[in-house]
Amino acid sequence: MNEKNLGKTLCEIFAQDKRTAAIEARNDALDQVECNADREWLDRAADALRQYLTHHETMFVDDFWEWTQLDRPRESRALGPVFVRAAHRGLMKKTGGYRNSIASKMGPKPIWRSLIYDATAVPPRMPGKGEAQGELF
């Protein structure tokens, strides 16, 4: 037993191992989705998300889809890696709240708080098909 596990019960160690395995499986799935997604689409989605976050205090996936002019990818999960990267880059964070998503067969999806919201920002010219302005990927 290593020093990190001293004082823990076997149940605690196994539960920690299961959480670690679940996190690794989720990250692997996100990586696979990203690898199979169209790179140009990912860039356009990242630009659209950045603009959305600049002009909205909170973000929910269904609201984002309604606002954006992006084509839906053949794999709807392609938006997941875009959200994860935006969160890792400090553009948004989870609020702790959830809503059922029409885009995800009424499954619960997180509500995000924009960390770059600017109430004085000029309304965006939304990127549409074939337009990417910056790099998140």
Side-chain angles (χ1 to χ4, degrees), residues 53-129:
L53 293 170
T54 300
H55 295 89
H56 298 84
E57 292 182 69
T58 61
M59 196 284 302
F60 180 68
V61 65
D62 290 355
D63 299 336
F64 175 74
W65 277 123
E66 187 176 316
W67 175 85
T68 188
Q69 294 178 359
L70 288 171
D71 289 334
R72 299 262 180 149
R74 41 177 211 282
E75 175 56 72
S76 63
R77 294 179 297 174
L79 203 51
V82 176
F83 287 2
V84 170
R85 284 196 192 260
H88 285 206
R89 296 216 168 129
L91 303 180
M92 62 186 194
K93 70 176 184 175
K94 290 181 181 179
T95 65
Y98 289 82
R99 284 177 38 201
N100 292 334
S101 168
I102 293 170
S104 297
K105 300 176 185 159
M106 298 310 291
K109 295 294 178 186
I111 300 169
W112 299 83
R113 171 140 339 272
S114 172
L115 300 177
I116 60 170
Y117 172 69
D118 180 358
T120 65
V122 175
R125 186 180 76 68
M126 294 184 293
K129 299 175 188 174

